[in-house]
Amino acid sequence: MIPALLAALVLAGPDSLPQITLAEALERSTGLDPAYVQALGRVGEAEWGRRNAILAFVTPALDISNDWSYYSTEFFNVGTGQNQKISVTGQANLRYTVLSLGKFSELGRSRAALEAADASEVKARYRSALVVEQIFYQVLADKELARVAAERVRRADEQLAVARARVTSGAVVQSDSLQLLLELTRARVEQLKAETELRVSRYELGRRTGSEAGIDAAPLTDPVPESLPVTLDEAVTQALESGPDWRIARAQATAADKALTGIKGQYLPRLDAGFTAYRFDDHFFPSARSVGQFDIRVSWNLWDQGQRELSVAQARTTRDVAHAVSNDLARAARHDVGMAYEAFTTARATLDLTGTGLIVAQENFRVQTERYRAGAATILLLLDAQVGLTQAQADLVQAQFVARLAWAGLEAILGRRFSTPA
């Protein structure tokens, strides 16, 4: 009953699910991650902040209002020149800041804010892609591990048949077949677990790519690269120049500088020019009388009970912290990039070693199988070789995808692709 159920679970899996490539998975996942959607929205906000700072230099502020009033007793209406209960006043107010240090500092701050938003969008995009790649690789790894588990079942089944034949012939004791029956049972349990993990990872891949059902990952056609296309020094330089984290830190430090300058600008006088047009009547769209007013205003905030000084102190603290973060990231660049760089180097070397280990495990299993059939090895040696082969196969599967994920991790840190996903 158990083998039949296990076979049904295996057959119900991959053939009924659509497959997507890694490139398709990354494309479908774009815009589905809430963190990326938020980062993209912040770019739009920063772009409008930048436009607002530029428009402050080239266009005035304009507001229009119309006031309709009804009074309980008649009074003199300046628009119609008569005593009336209804009065309508229309007003158009045009104002332009001619001179203010805040305009210039806001222009620089908005530019830095846009740079920070752009870098945050890149960071969120690569972080989201890294999660999708991790899930994609997990599906592939789970498929390989399910295959390894199936091979373990097949080997255990073959060995059990050999052991039973030898027990029947009297070459070995019955405990040999019992040991192999236990190994077969364990192998079937591991196969069931592997198939369950594969289905779960397919559901997660479907979720990340916009499907409520499971999605299968298409096999990768390109091998794991032998080495990275950049040296460690080059990677550190690229991180400092264009890495999202470093770009964000520098932009935030610049924005804090400009914000502090803008607040300090409140100590200086401000020059504004304005024009106001009035219309009076007893109709909702007044036209009986028009009055225009042009004014130039110079304002100078000499003392506001220390509020300005408090704002300057707070802005200076924000500026100091932003520069400390930026400088700390710059100092940590070699450490952070080096960790990701060495992670791939180690994973790639581990992949080569596990490949050699698999060859050794396969040969050891073959030799122990022949020795057991010839009566020159015990069942314990055969089982140990069987377990060693299964472990070597699983280690190779994990090493392949650990190396690929380490490659993707370095790409996320640098904010660039070394190669286009297939």
Side-chain angles (χ1 to χ4, degrees), residues 141-157:
D142 287 343
K143 287 170 66 175
E144 289 298 308
L145 292 175
R147 179 187 58 78
V148 169
E151 289 185 5
R152 179 182 177 184
V153 170
R154 178 186 57 79
R155 288 194 297 266
D157 199 29

mmCIF file with all atom_site columns, all heavy atoms in Angstrom, residues 141-157:
data_model
loop_
_atom_site.group_PDB
_atom_site.id
_atom_site.type_symbol
_atom_site.label_atom_id
_atom_site.label_alt_id
_atom_site.label_comp_id
_atom_site.label_asym_id
_atom_site.label_entity_id
_atom_site.label_seq_id
_atom_site.pdbx_PDB_ins_code
_atom_site.Cartn_x
_atom_site.Cartn_y
_atom_site.Cartn_z
_atom_site.occupancy
_atom_site.B_iso_or_equiv
_atom_site.pdbx_formal_charge
_atom_site.auth_seq_id
_atom_site.auth_comp_id
_atom_site.auth_asym_id
_atom_site.auth_atom_id
_atom_site.pdbx_PDB_model_num
ATOM 1   N N   . ALA A 1 141 ? 16.694 22.195 -6.664  1.00 0.00 ? 141 ALA A N   1
ATOM 2   C CA  . ALA A 1 141 ? 17.391 21.342 -5.701  1.00 0.00 ? 141 ALA A CA  1
ATOM 3   C C   . ALA A 1 141 ? 16.465 20.256 -5.166  1.00 0.00 ? 141 ALA A C   1
ATOM 4   O O   . ALA A 1 141 ? 16.866 19.093 -5.037  1.00 0.00 ? 141 ALA A O   1
ATOM 5   C CB  . ALA A 1 141 ? 17.936 22.192 -4.555  1.00 0.00 ? 141 ALA A CB  1
ATOM 6   N N   . ASP A 1 142 ? 15.220 20.643 -4.862  1.00 0.00 ? 142 ASP A N   1
ATOM 7   C CA  . ASP A 1 142 ? 14.265 19.651 -4.349  1.00 0.00 ? 142 ASP A CA  1
ATOM 8   C C   . ASP A 1 142 ? 13.957 18.581 -5.396  1.00 0.00 ? 142 ASP A C   1
ATOM 9   O O   . ASP A 1 142 ? 13.748 17.407 -5.059  1.00 0.00 ? 142 ASP A O   1
ATOM 10  C CB  . ASP A 1 142 ? 12.976 20.351 -3.916  1.00 0.00 ? 142 ASP A CB  1
ATOM 11  C CG  . ASP A 1 142 ? 13.156 21.141 -2.623  1.00 0.00 ? 142 ASP A CG  1
ATOM 12  O OD1 . ASP A 1 142 ? 14.143 20.884 -1.914  1.00 0.00 ? 142 ASP A OD1 1
ATOM 13  O OD2 . ASP A 1 142 ? 12.310 22.004 -2.337  1.00 0.00 ? 142 ASP A OD2 1
ATOM 14  N N   . LYS A 1 143 ? 13.918 18.983 -6.674  1.00 0.00 ? 143 LYS A N   1
ATOM 15  C CA  . LYS A 1 143 ? 13.724 17.990 -7.734  1.00 0.00 ? 143 LYS A CA  1
ATOM 16  C C   . LYS A 1 143 ? 14.875 16.996 -7.773  1.00 0.00 ? 143 LYS A C   1
ATOM 17  O O   . LYS A 1 143 ? 14.672 15.775 -7.887  1.00 0.00 ? 143 LYS A O   1
ATOM 18  C CB  . LYS A 1 143 ? 13.593 18.687 -9.096  1.00 0.00 ? 143 LYS A CB  1
ATOM 19  C CG  . LYS A 1 143 ? 12.270 19.405 -9.307  1.00 0.00 ? 143 LYS A CG  1
ATOM 20  C CD  . LYS A 1 143 ? 12.280 20.272 -10.546 1.00 0.00 ? 143 LYS A CD  1
ATOM 21  C CE  . LYS A 1 143 ? 12.384 19.468 -11.803 1.00 0.00 ? 143 LYS A CE  1
ATOM 22  N NZ  . LYS A 1 143 ? 12.280 20.305 -13.019 1.00 0.00 ? 143 LYS A NZ  1
ATOM 23  N N   . GLU A 1 144 ? 16.099 17.523 -7.660  1.00 0.00 ? 144 GLU A N   1
ATOM 24  C CA  . GLU A 1 144 ? 17.267 16.643 -7.669  1.00 0.00 ? 144 GLU A CA  1
ATOM 25  C C   . GLU A 1 144 ? 17.307 15.752 -6.427  1.00 0.00 ? 144 GLU A C   1
ATOM 26  O O   . GLU A 1 144 ? 17.656 14.574 -6.504  1.00 0.00 ? 144 GLU A O   1
ATOM 27  C CB  . GLU A 1 144 ? 18.542 17.486 -7.762  1.00 0.00 ? 144 GLU A CB  1
ATOM 28  C CG  . GLU A 1 144 ? 18.751 18.147 -9.113  1.00 0.00 ? 144 GLU A CG  1
ATOM 29  C CD  . GLU A 1 144 ? 18.901 17.114 -10.218 1.00 0.00 ? 144 GLU A CD  1
ATOM 30  O OE1 . GLU A 1 144 ? 19.740 16.204 -10.075 1.00 0.00 ? 144 GLU A OE1 1
ATOM 31  O OE2 . GLU A 1 144 ? 18.160 17.198 -11.212 1.00 0.00 ? 144 GLU A OE2 1
ATOM 32  N N   . LEU A 1 145 ? 16.946 16.328 -5.294  1.00 0.00 ? 145 LEU A N   1
ATOM 33  C CA  . LEU A 1 145 ? 16.942 15.532 -4.065  1.00 0.00 ? 145 LEU A CA  1
ATOM 34  C C   . LEU A 1 145 ? 15.859 14.452 -4.112  1.00 0.00 ? 145 LEU A C   1
ATOM 35  O O   . LEU A 1 145 ? 16.048 13.357 -3.564  1.00 0.00 ? 145 LEU A O   1
ATOM 36  C CB  . LEU A 1 145 ? 16.732 16.445 -2.851  1.00 0.00 ? 145 LEU A CB  1
ATOM 37  C CG  . LEU A 1 145 ? 17.888 17.407 -2.549  1.00 0.00 ? 145 LEU A CG  1
ATOM 38  C CD1 . LEU A 1 145 ? 17.516 18.346 -1.414  1.00 0.00 ? 145 LEU A CD1 1
ATOM 39  C CD2 . LEU A 1 145 ? 19.163 16.633 -2.199  1.00 0.00 ? 145 LEU A CD2 1
ATOM 40  N N   . ALA A 1 146 ? 14.729 14.769 -4.747  1.00 0.00 ? 146 ALA A N   1
ATOM 41  C CA  . ALA A 1 146 ? 13.695 13.742 -4.923  1.00 0.00 ? 146 ALA A CA  1
ATOM 42  C C   . ALA A 1 146 ? 14.205 12.620 -5.822  1.00 0.00 ? 146 ALA A C   1
ATOM 43  O O   . ALA A 1 146 ? 13.918 11.432 -5.588  1.00 0.00 ? 146 ALA A O   1
ATOM 44  C CB  . ALA A 1 146 ? 12.429 14.371 -5.513  1.00 0.00 ? 146 ALA A CB  1
ATOM 45  N N   . ARG A 1 147 ? 14.966 13.000 -6.852  1.00 0.00 ? 147 ARG A N   1
ATOM 46  C CA  . ARG A 1 147 ? 15.559 11.969 -7.725  1.00 0.00 ? 147 ARG A CA  1
ATOM 47  C C   . ARG A 1 147 ? 16.573 11.127 -6.957  1.00 0.00 ? 147 ARG A C   1
ATOM 48  O O   . ARG A 1 147 ? 16.624 9.891  -7.107  1.00 0.00 ? 147 ARG A O   1
ATOM 49  C CB  . ARG A 1 147 ? 16.237 12.642 -8.921  1.00 0.00 ? 147 ARG A CB  1
ATOM 50  C CG  . ARG A 1 147 ? 16.900 11.677 -9.892  1.00 0.00 ? 147 ARG A CG  1
ATOM 51  C CD  . ARG A 1 147 ? 17.681 12.418 -10.946 1.00 0.00 ? 147 ARG A CD  1
ATOM 52  N NE  . ARG A 1 147 ? 18.711 13.270 -10.369 1.00 0.00 ? 147 ARG A NE  1
ATOM 53  C CZ  . ARG A 1 147 ? 19.889 12.809 -9.919  1.00 0.00 ? 147 ARG A CZ  1
ATOM 54  N NH1 . ARG A 1 147 ? 20.156 11.500 -9.954  1.00 0.00 ? 147 ARG A NH1 1
ATOM 55  N NH2 . ARG A 1 147 ? 20.777 13.647 -9.420  1.00 0.00 ? 147 ARG A NH2 1
ATOM 56  N N   . VAL A 1 148 ? 17.386 11.780 -6.107  1.00 0.00 ? 148 VAL A N   1
ATOM 57  C CA  . VAL A 1 148 ? 18.351 11.046 -5.288  1.00 0.00 ? 148 VAL A CA  1
ATOM 58  C C   . VAL A 1 148 ? 17.638 10.081 -4.362  1.00 0.00 ? 148 VAL A C   1
ATOM 59  O O   . VAL A 1 148 ? 18.063 8.923  -4.182  1.00 0.00 ? 148 VAL A O   1
ATOM 60  C CB  . VAL A 1 148 ? 19.217 12.040 -4.489  1.00 0.00 ? 148 VAL A CB  1
ATOM 61  C CG1 . VAL A 1 148 ? 20.052 11.314 -3.432  1.00 0.00 ? 148 VAL A CG1 1
ATOM 62  C CG2 . VAL A 1 148 ? 20.131 12.820 -5.425  1.00 0.00 ? 148 VAL A CG2 1
ATOM 63  N N   . ALA A 1 149 ? 16.525 10.547 -3.770  1.00 0.00 ? 149 ALA A N   1
ATOM 64  C CA  . ALA A 1 149 ? 15.764 9.678  -2.871  1.00 0.00 ? 149 ALA A CA  1
ATOM 65  C C   . ALA A 1 149 ? 15.176 8.493  -3.624  1.00 0.00 ? 149 ALA A C   1
ATOM 66  O O   . ALA A 1 149 ? 15.142 7.361  -3.106  1.00 0.00 ? 149 ALA A O   1
ATOM 67  C CB  . ALA A 1 149 ? 14.658 10.480 -2.190  1.00 0.00 ? 149 ALA A CB  1
ATOM 68  N N   . ALA A 1 150 ? 14.722 8.729  -4.863  1.00 0.00 ? 150 ALA A N   1
ATOM 69  C CA  . ALA A 1 150 ? 14.175 7.636  -5.661  1.00 0.00 ? 150 ALA A CA  1
ATOM 70  C C   . ALA A 1 150 ? 15.258 6.619  -6.010  1.00 0.00 ? 150 ALA A C   1
ATOM 71  O O   . ALA A 1 150 ? 15.020 5.395  -6.000  1.00 0.00 ? 150 ALA A O   1
ATOM 72  C CB  . ALA A 1 150 ? 13.536 8.188  -6.930  1.00 0.00 ? 150 ALA A CB  1
ATOM 73  N N   . GLU A 1 151 ? 16.469 7.093  -6.300  1.00 0.00 ? 151 GLU A N   1
ATOM 74  C CA  . GLU A 1 151 ? 17.577 6.175  -6.593  1.00 0.00 ? 151 GLU A CA  1
ATOM 75  C C   . GLU A 1 151 ? 17.943 5.365  -5.354  1.00 0.00 ? 151 GLU A C   1
ATOM 76  O O   . GLU A 1 151 ? 18.300 4.184  -5.456  1.00 0.00 ? 151 GLU A O   1
ATOM 77  C CB  . GLU A 1 151 ? 18.789 6.960  -7.088  1.00 0.00 ? 151 GLU A CB  1
ATOM 78  C CG  . GLU A 1 151 ? 18.616 7.544  -8.476  1.00 0.00 ? 151 GLU A CG  1
ATOM 79  C CD  . GLU A 1 151 ? 19.888 8.210  -8.970  1.00 0.00 ? 151 GLU A CD  1
ATOM 80  O OE1 . GLU A 1 151 ? 20.912 8.129  -8.257  1.00 0.00 ? 151 GLU A OE1 1
ATOM 81  O OE2 . GLU A 1 151 ? 19.853 8.795  -10.060 1.00 0.00 ? 151 GLU A OE2 1
ATOM 82  N N   . ARG A 1 152 ? 17.867 5.983  -4.188  1.00 0.00 ? 152 ARG A N   1
ATOM 83  C CA  . ARG A 1 152 ? 18.154 5.250  -2.956  1.00 0.00 ? 152 ARG A CA  1
ATOM 84  C C   . ARG A 1 152 ? 17.148 4.119  -2.766  1.00 0.00 ? 152 ARG A C   1
ATOM 85  O O   . ARG A 1 152 ? 17.517 3.002  -2.379  1.00 0.00 ? 152 ARG A O   1
ATOM 86  C CB  . ARG A 1 152 ? 18.094 6.209  -1.764  1.00 0.00 ? 152 ARG A CB  1
ATOM 87  C CG  . ARG A 1 152 ? 18.351 5.539  -0.415  1.00 0.00 ? 152 ARG A CG  1
ATOM 88  C CD  . ARG A 1 152 ? 18.239 6.533  0.714   1.00 0.00 ? 152 ARG A CD  1
ATOM 89  N NE  . ARG A 1 152 ? 18.409 5.891  2.010   1.00 0.00 ? 152 ARG A NE  1
ATOM 90  C CZ  . ARG A 1 152 ? 18.290 6.494  3.182   1.00 0.00 ? 152 ARG A CZ  1
ATOM 91  N NH1 . ARG A 1 152 ? 17.977 7.800  3.212   1.00 0.00 ? 152 ARG A NH1 1
ATOM 92  N NH2 . ARG A 1 152 ? 18.469 5.840  4.321   1.00 0.00 ? 152 ARG A NH2 1
ATOM 93  N N   . VAL A 1 153 ? 15.877 4.405  -3.074  1.00 0.00 ? 153 VAL A N   1
ATOM 94  C CA  . VAL A 1 153 ? 14.845 3.361  -2.970  1.00 0.00 ? 153 VAL A CA  1
ATOM 95  C C   . VAL A 1 153 ? 15.142 2.240  -3.954  1.00 0.00 ? 153 VAL A C   1
ATOM 96  O O   . VAL A 1 153 ? 15.041 1.045  -3.620  1.00 0.00 ? 153 VAL A O   1
ATOM 97  C CB  . VAL A 1 153 ? 13.446 3.963  -3.230  1.00 0.00 ? 153 VAL A CB  1
ATOM 98  C CG1 . VAL A 1 153 ? 12.408 2.847  -3.356  1.00 0.00 ? 153 VAL A CG1 1
ATOM 99  C CG2 . VAL A 1 153 ? 13.067 4.912  -2.103  1.00 0.00 ? 153 VAL A CG2 1
ATOM 100 N N   . ARG A 1 154 ? 15.505 2.604  -5.186  1.00 0.00 ? 154 ARG A N   1
ATOM 101 C CA  . ARG A 1 154 ? 15.793 1.587  -6.191  1.00 0.00 ? 154 ARG A CA  1
ATOM 102 C C   . ARG A 1 154 ? 16.967 0.704  -5.778  1.00 0.00 ? 154 ARG A C   1
ATOM 103 O O   . ARG A 1 154 ? 16.914 -0.530 -5.889  1.00 0.00 ? 154 ARG A O   1
ATOM 104 C CB  . ARG A 1 154 ? 16.086 2.264  -7.533  1.00 0.00 ? 154 ARG A CB  1
ATOM 105 C CG  . ARG A 1 154 ? 16.441 1.297  -8.659  1.00 0.00 ? 154 ARG A CG  1
ATOM 106 C CD  . ARG A 1 154 ? 16.868 2.046  -9.907  1.00 0.00 ? 154 ARG A CD  1
ATOM 107 N NE  . ARG A 1 154 ? 17.994 2.936  -9.656  1.00 0.00 ? 154 ARG A NE  1
ATOM 108 C CZ  . ARG A 1 154 ? 19.256 2.510  -9.567  1.00 0.00 ? 154 ARG A CZ  1
ATOM 109 N NH1 . ARG A 1 154 ? 19.555 1.215  -9.675  1.00 0.00 ? 154 ARG A NH1 1
ATOM 110 N NH2 . ARG A 1 154 ? 20.229 3.384  -9.349  1.00 0.00 ? 154 ARG A NH2 1
ATOM 111 N N   . ARG A 1 155 ? 18.026 1.345  -5.285  1.00 0.00 ? 155 ARG A N   1
ATOM 112 C CA  . ARG A 1 155 ? 19.196 0.566  -4.867  1.00 0.00 ? 155 ARG A CA  1
ATOM 113 C C   . ARG A 1 155 ? 18.853 -0.363 -3.691  1.00 0.00 ? 155 ARG A C   1
ATOM 114 O O   . ARG A 1 155 ? 19.263 -1.530 -3.662  1.00 0.00 ? 155 ARG A O   1
ATOM 115 C CB  . ARG A 1 155 ? 20.340 1.498  -4.486  1.00 0.00 ? 155 ARG A CB  1
ATOM 116 C CG  . ARG A 1 155 ? 20.999 2.191  -5.657  1.00 0.00 ? 155 ARG A CG  1
ATOM 117 C CD  . ARG A 1 155 ? 22.317 2.827  -5.237  1.00 0.00 ? 155 ARG A CD  1
ATOM 118 N NE  . ARG A 1 155 ? 22.114 3.862  -4.234  1.00 0.00 ? 155 ARG A NE  1
ATOM 119 C CZ  . ARG A 1 155 ? 21.981 5.155  -4.508  1.00 0.00 ? 155 ARG A CZ  1
ATOM 120 N NH1 . ARG A 1 155 ? 22.014 5.553  -5.779  1.00 0.00 ? 155 ARG A NH1 1
ATOM 121 N NH2 . ARG A 1 155 ? 21.822 6.038  -3.543  1.00 0.00 ? 155 ARG A NH2 1
ATOM 122 N N   . ALA A 1 156 ? 18.100 0.183  -2.734  1.00 0.00 ? 156 ALA A N   1
ATOM 123 C CA  . ALA A 1 156 ? 17.730 -0.630 -1.574  1.00 0.00 ? 156 ALA A CA  1
ATOM 124 C C   . ALA A 1 156 ? 16.858 -1.805 -1.985  1.00 0.00 ? 156 ALA A C   1
ATOM 125 O O   . ALA A 1 156 ? 16.984 -2.916 -1.444  1.00 0.00 ? 156 ALA A O   1
ATOM 126 C CB  . ALA A 1 156 ? 17.013 0.235  -0.546  1.00 0.00 ? 156 ALA A CB  1
ATOM 127 N N   . ASP A 1 157 ? 15.983 -1.586 -2.957  1.00 0.00 ? 157 ASP A N   1
ATOM 128 C CA  . ASP A 1 157 ? 15.109 -2.660 -3.431  1.00 0.00 ? 157 ASP A CA  1
ATOM 129 C C   . ASP A 1 157 ? 15.927 -3.752 -4.124  1.00 0.00 ? 157 ASP A C   1
ATOM 130 O O   . ASP A 1 157 ? 15.695 -4.956 -3.915  1.00 0.00 ? 157 ASP A O   1
ATOM 131 C CB  . ASP A 1 157 ? 14.076 -2.068 -4.394  1.00 0.00 ? 157 ASP A CB  1
ATOM 132 C CG  . ASP A 1 157 ? 12.874 -2.979 -4.570  1.00 0.00 ? 157 ASP A CG  1
ATOM 133 O OD1 . ASP A 1 157 ? 12.558 -3.726 -3.629  1.00 0.00 ? 157 ASP A OD1 1
ATOM 134 O OD2 . ASP A 1 157 ? 12.261 -2.944 -5.658  1.00 0.00 ? 157 ASP A OD2 1
#
